[in-house]
Amino acid sequence: MNFRSGHLWAVVLMLACQPDPETPTYREAFLEDQQKVSGFFQLQFPKDKLTALDSGWVFLGLDSLTGIHREWPTRFSLSDPVSLPHRLPVPNHSLWYRWEGNLEPGILLVNADDGVQCWINQKQIPRAAEGDYFEVDAYGQTELGLRVVNNAMGGGLRGVQFLPQAAHQSWQEKKTQIRKAVLADRKIELLQDPDHVRKCGELSFPELTERLSAYPILFTVPVLIWSTDGKPFVRWVSESADKATLRLDNGEEISIASTDGVFTYELDPGTGFSFDLYQEKSYQGHYSLKARPNTKDIKLALWGDSQGGWDTFRKVADAIRAHEADLSIGAGDLVNNGSEDWAYPRFLQLLSRMHTPQLLVPGNHDYDGHYDDLVARQLKQYLAQPQTPTYGLHQFGPVAILSLDPNVNFPVSVPAGTRQRDWLEKQLESDTWRSAPWKIIVLHQPPYAQGWSGYQGEWTIRQLLEPYFHRGLVDLVVAGHTHDYERLSLDFSGHPVHFLVVGGAGGGLEPEGEQSDFPRMDRLIKKHHYGILEINSSRMHFTAYDLEGNTMDTLSIEK
């Protein structure tokens, strides 16, 4: 870990184009106006070709055995016929189902909470690399077996659909053509040079796409992210892979390669950075990173569960930008489905509106589609650095921030003997943690919550952290997961610990009038929101705001 003890190098990403002799090829990134490119994403499987497999299912039973890797059981406790949807209020369980019938080669779409594994004739098949479905290579009488992995309160098998292989291939080809057309139209609309636009209008579509291919567009503009190893990096997504060129203010040029269009430039935490961005014939604009030492105080933006609520999250991002925070912290469920096509680029572009460095924590929905091995591949591809864990420790000025990821285990937990647990125990005893004036833990699942009916918070997290609460080694726990705002303060052996749930950045809110009897939170407000936490060496002050900028709640803590 690299820590700069006692200092915050708050690296502020200034995303607005600066005056420059050259004009950017495009006015803005492709994904900046997501309404105009909605047809790029909302491409559904052809309904007339889908067959619903909602009947003929047998519920075989459930178990609470730990671990994501399982063999198909040889014996089951039940054999109950069920129709879909079938759901049970059994968190942290595996639910097993079987179906028999005639199938042909195609794909299987499974809607389940939270994740699913699939067996064909008792042989497990992996999720397809291209999407959140299973490729079936079977003829005639076939036995399907499903293990639904449930981390939430209510879970089970919502629905199963089958799409024949030929229909799937035709749909893929149609989707590719639609996306090419949307991309070309959007690029022409955003071109800066009128002469370039005129020439494009004279070309056939094949000629147009060939011409525009030499002028790649940014899908997302650069965002600064703090890696879990304590180092910042700049991340953006381009239409084209291969190579991008950064021209620094001193004239130095840096070439950056990519194989998938996801580009990364690593920074020293203590340096400023300003550059022009080029790719092939496109000039993408001027971007500036400014580093300033801050030894006294820090302003944090807190939010969680953006979860595909793009319009709401856009408002949250714009509001956070106005506060000029030193750091933005996202407490998980960053997208609605971690394997959904284009979810993370859309998320990145909205993040860029904050003009704020990001510290991002995974949630259970960020793992959706990756329940074969609980490796959230798209999360790692778009938001992380290779070979870094999904948890880390940072020190910014007077505060140490420790982020956890209990979603890497099933059930949700940080069990003894795991790499994360060993790391956590070491960090909580370290001089870096113990000497920090303020100690904050951020994770997705809260130890205490009331706003989700039947859910009191994650008992595994309470069991994990309460010994450290009693020792005075934690001041504040920030989480999401329940889609509301919640606050609680408790005393542990004379040590006050404060709990915030900030799960209102975009996902659908928890229903009014439905909540758990325990615990009794000090505040529970079911509105979309975000929070601003201001910290110096002796005081923390938190304000929760609704989307109109009204103060919902405040909390002041003195040392």
Side-chain angles (χ1 to χ4, degrees), residues 493-504:
S493 303
H495 300 289
V497 183
H498 308 275
F499 303 88
L500 294 174
V501 175
V502 289

PDB file of all heavy atoms in Angstrom, residues 493-504:
ATOM      1  N   SER A 493     -19.403  -0.073  24.345  1.00  0.00           N
ATOM      2  CA  SER A 493     -18.428  -0.012  25.441  1.00  0.00           C
ATOM      3  C   SER A 493     -17.860   1.389  25.596  1.00  0.00           C
ATOM      4  O   SER A 493     -16.650   1.576  25.810  1.00  0.00           O
ATOM      5  CB  SER A 493     -17.299  -1.018  25.210  1.00  0.00           C
ATOM      6  OG  SER A 493     -17.801  -2.327  25.082  1.00  0.00           O
ATOM      7  N   GLY A 494     -18.725   2.392  25.485  1.00  0.00           N
ATOM      8  CA  GLY A 494     -18.286   3.764  25.638  1.00  0.00           C
ATOM      9  C   GLY A 494     -17.759   4.407  24.372  1.00  0.00           C
ATOM     10  O   GLY A 494     -17.338   5.576  24.402  1.00  0.00           O
ATOM     11  N   HIS A 495     -17.778   3.679  23.258  1.00  0.00           N
ATOM     12  CA  HIS A 495     -17.288   4.207  21.985  1.00  0.00           C
ATOM     13  C   HIS A 495     -18.476   4.426  21.043  1.00  0.00           C
ATOM     14  O   HIS A 495     -19.130   3.462  20.633  1.00  0.00           O
ATOM     15  CB  HIS A 495     -16.299   3.230  21.343  1.00  0.00           C
ATOM     16  CG  HIS A 495     -15.099   2.942  22.185  1.00  0.00           C
ATOM     17  ND1 HIS A 495     -14.109   3.866  22.409  1.00  0.00           N
ATOM     18  CD2 HIS A 495     -14.738   1.828  22.870  1.00  0.00           C
ATOM     19  CE1 HIS A 495     -13.175   3.338  23.185  1.00  0.00           C
ATOM     20  NE2 HIS A 495     -13.538   2.097  23.489  1.00  0.00           N
ATOM     21  N   PRO A 496     -18.767   5.660  20.677  1.00  0.00           N
ATOM     22  CA  PRO A 496     -19.870   5.907  19.744  1.00  0.00           C
ATOM     23  C   PRO A 496     -19.486   5.505  18.321  1.00  0.00           C
ATOM     24  O   PRO A 496     -18.384   5.797  17.853  1.00  0.00           O
ATOM     25  CB  PRO A 496     -20.092   7.415  19.856  1.00  0.00           C
ATOM     26  CG  PRO A 496     -18.770   7.968  20.270  1.00  0.00           C
ATOM     27  CD  PRO A 496     -18.132   6.912  21.132  1.00  0.00           C
ATOM     28  N   VAL A 497     -20.415   4.834  17.646  1.00  0.00           N
ATOM     29  CA  VAL A 497     -20.244   4.480  16.239  1.00  0.00           C
ATOM     30  C   VAL A 497     -21.495   4.932  15.501  1.00  0.00           C
ATOM     31  O   VAL A 497     -22.616   4.729  15.977  1.00  0.00           O
ATOM     32  CB  VAL A 497     -20.027   2.968  16.039  1.00  0.00           C
ATOM     33  CG1 VAL A 497     -19.786   2.649  14.555  1.00  0.00           C
ATOM     34  CG2 VAL A 497     -18.851   2.475  16.874  1.00  0.00           C
ATOM     35  N   HIS A 498     -21.296   5.525  14.337  1.00  0.00           N
ATOM     36  CA  HIS A 498     -22.396   6.087  13.562  1.00  0.00           C
ATOM     37  C   HIS A 498     -22.533   5.320  12.254  1.00  0.00           C
ATOM     38  O   HIS A 498     -21.541   4.898  11.649  1.00  0.00           O
ATOM     39  CB  HIS A 498     -22.150   7.565  13.304  1.00  0.00           C
ATOM     40  CG  HIS A 498     -21.837   8.337  14.554  1.00  0.00           C
ATOM     41  ND1 HIS A 498     -22.812   8.857  15.377  1.00  0.00           N
ATOM     42  CD2 HIS A 498     -20.643   8.629  15.143  1.00  0.00           C
ATOM     43  CE1 HIS A 498     -22.245   9.455  16.408  1.00  0.00           C
ATOM     44  NE2 HIS A 498     -20.926   9.338  16.285  1.00  0.00           N
ATOM     45  N   PHE A 499     -23.785   5.156  11.821  1.00  0.00           N
ATOM     46  CA  PHE A 499     -24.076   4.343  10.644  1.00  0.00           C
ATOM     47  C   PHE A 499     -24.932   5.158   9.676  1.00  0.00           C
ATOM     48  O   PHE A 499     -25.952   5.746  10.068  1.00  0.00           O
ATOM     49  CB  PHE A 499     -24.816   3.064  11.040  1.00  0.00           C
ATOM     50  CG  PHE A 499     -24.074   2.229  12.041  1.00  0.00           C
ATOM     51  CD1 PHE A 499     -24.230   2.448  13.407  1.00  0.00           C
ATOM     52  CD2 PHE A 499     -23.194   1.240  11.616  1.00  0.00           C
ATOM     53  CE1 PHE A 499     -23.542   1.685  14.335  1.00  0.00           C
ATOM     54  CE2 PHE A 499     -22.504   0.465  12.541  1.00  0.00           C
ATOM     55  CZ  PHE A 499     -22.658   0.695  13.897  1.00  0.00           C
ATOM     56  N   LEU A 500     -24.509   5.194   8.411  1.00  0.00           N
ATOM     57  CA  LEU A 500     -25.259   5.877   7.362  1.00  0.00           C
ATOM     58  C   LEU A 500     -25.590   4.889   6.255  1.00  0.00           C
ATOM     59  O   LEU A 500     -24.718   4.131   5.815  1.00  0.00           O
ATOM     60  CB  LEU A 500     -24.452   7.029   6.765  1.00  0.00           C
ATOM     61  CG  LEU A 500     -24.142   8.223   7.671  1.00  0.00           C
ATOM     62  CD1 LEU A 500     -23.221   9.195   6.948  1.00  0.00           C
ATOM     63  CD2 LEU A 500     -25.421   8.922   8.112  1.00  0.00           C
ATOM     64  N   VAL A 501     -26.841   4.892   5.809  1.00  0.00           N
ATOM     65  CA  VAL A 501     -27.258   4.176   4.604  1.00  0.00           C
ATOM     66  C   VAL A 501     -27.614   5.241   3.571  1.00  0.00           C
ATOM     67  O   VAL A 501     -28.514   6.052   3.804  1.00  0.00           O
ATOM     68  CB  VAL A 501     -28.462   3.262   4.870  1.00  0.00           C
ATOM     69  CG1 VAL A 501     -28.947   2.619   3.569  1.00  0.00           C
ATOM     70  CG2 VAL A 501     -28.096   2.173   5.876  1.00  0.00           C
ATOM     71  N   VAL A 502     -26.888   5.249   2.443  1.00  0.00           N
ATOM     72  CA  VAL A 502     -27.078   6.286   1.419  1.00  0.00           C
ATOM     73  C   VAL A 502     -27.450   5.624   0.093  1.00  0.00           C
ATOM     74  O   VAL A 502     -26.831   5.845  -0.931  1.00  0.00           O
ATOM     75  CB  VAL A 502     -25.814   7.172   1.280  1.00  0.00           C
ATOM     76  CG1 VAL A 502     -25.651   8.066   2.492  1.00  0.00           C
ATOM     77  CG2 VAL A 502     -24.563   6.313   1.081  1.00  0.00           C
ATOM     78  N   GLY A 503     -28.509   4.804   0.123  1.00  0.00           N
ATOM     79  CA  GLY A 503     -28.877   3.995  -1.030  1.00  0.00           C
ATOM     80  C   GLY A 503     -29.900   4.627  -1.951  1.00  0.00           C
ATOM     81  O   GLY A 503     -30.739   3.899  -2.493  1.00  0.00           O
ATOM     82  N   GLY A 504     -29.837   5.943  -2.132  1.00  0.00           N
ATOM     83  CA  GLY A 504     -30.870   6.608  -2.910  1.00  0.00           C
ATOM     84  C   GLY A 504     -30.382   7.354  -4.124  1.00  0.00           C
ATOM     85  O   GLY A 504     -30.927   8.403  -4.471  1.00  0.00           O
TER      86      GLY A 504
END
